[in-house]
Amino acid sequence: MGKFVVKATEKGARFNLLAGNGQVIATSQTYKALRTCLAGVESVRANAPIAAVEDQTQEDWTKEKCPKFQVYQDKAGEFRFRLLAKNGQNICHGEGYKALKSCLNGIESVRKNAADGEVEQEEA
């Protein structure tokens, strides 16, 4: 079972979603307040299981309606994803993957672990 680890920072708070093995599978932006960070966690829980996958690495990719996972290649050629909420706001992103299949597996891990992931708060 995965978990959300929320941590206060000098500029606010952010969360990481960890898989059952403790590996970070998604990271949030830095929120100004703990309250909004926790709302971000709830947004991932609500949106990840129902989000479509928009694979922008394909030549004739189809634009999907939000919520969605956007899959893209960064400047270094690695595959990445970001989860956009129903309102189009970026709520979390994944690491860079060398293979598209690994990136898609990362999305499936987010779907699986976000739905019932517990929230743990760490001190700064």
Side-chain angles (χ1 to χ4, degrees):
M1 178 202 273
K3 66 179 174 181
F4 290 91
V5 178
V6 176
K7 185 172 184 173
T9 68
E10 288 182 14
K11 296 182 180 183
R14 65 182 313 146
F15 67 81
N16 286 320
L17 174 58
L18 280 58
N21 64 4
Q23 182 178 359
V24 175
I25 52 177
T27 302
S28 75
Q29 65 181 0
T30 299
Y31 293 88
K32 291 183 180 179
L34 178 61
R35 177 182 52 77
T36 53
C37 183
L38 294 172
V41 167
E42 292 307 315
S43 184
V44 173
R45 282 186 176 153
N47 289 290
I50 62 170
V53 175
E54 181 179 278
D55 186 353
Q56 298 179 354
T57 67
Q58 303 301 314
E59 190 172 319
D60 292 323
W61 58 273
T62 303
K63 185 172 178 138
E64 298 288 344
K65 187 175 165 187
C66 289
K68 64 184 171 185
F69 285 96
Q70 288 182 325
V71 177
Y72 62 98
Q73 261 184 303
D74 65 16
K75 292 179 182 179
E78 291 188 318
F79 295 92
R80 294 183 176 270
F81 68 82
R82 60 184 151 241
L83 175 59
L84 303 181
K86 289 179 184 174
N87 64 3
Q89 183 178 1
N90 183 348
I91 48 179
C92 68
H93 60 274
E95 64 180 335
Y97 297 90
K98 294 192 184 304
L100 176 60
K101 183 167 178 31
S102 299
C103 184
L104 295 174
N105 288 342
I107 289 171
E108 289 310 309
S109 185
V110 169
R111 288 184 201 271
K112 176 182 157 189
N113 289 286
D116 59 359
E118 295 181 12
V119 177
E120 179 179 298
Q121 292 187 37
E122 287 187 354
E123 296 299 317

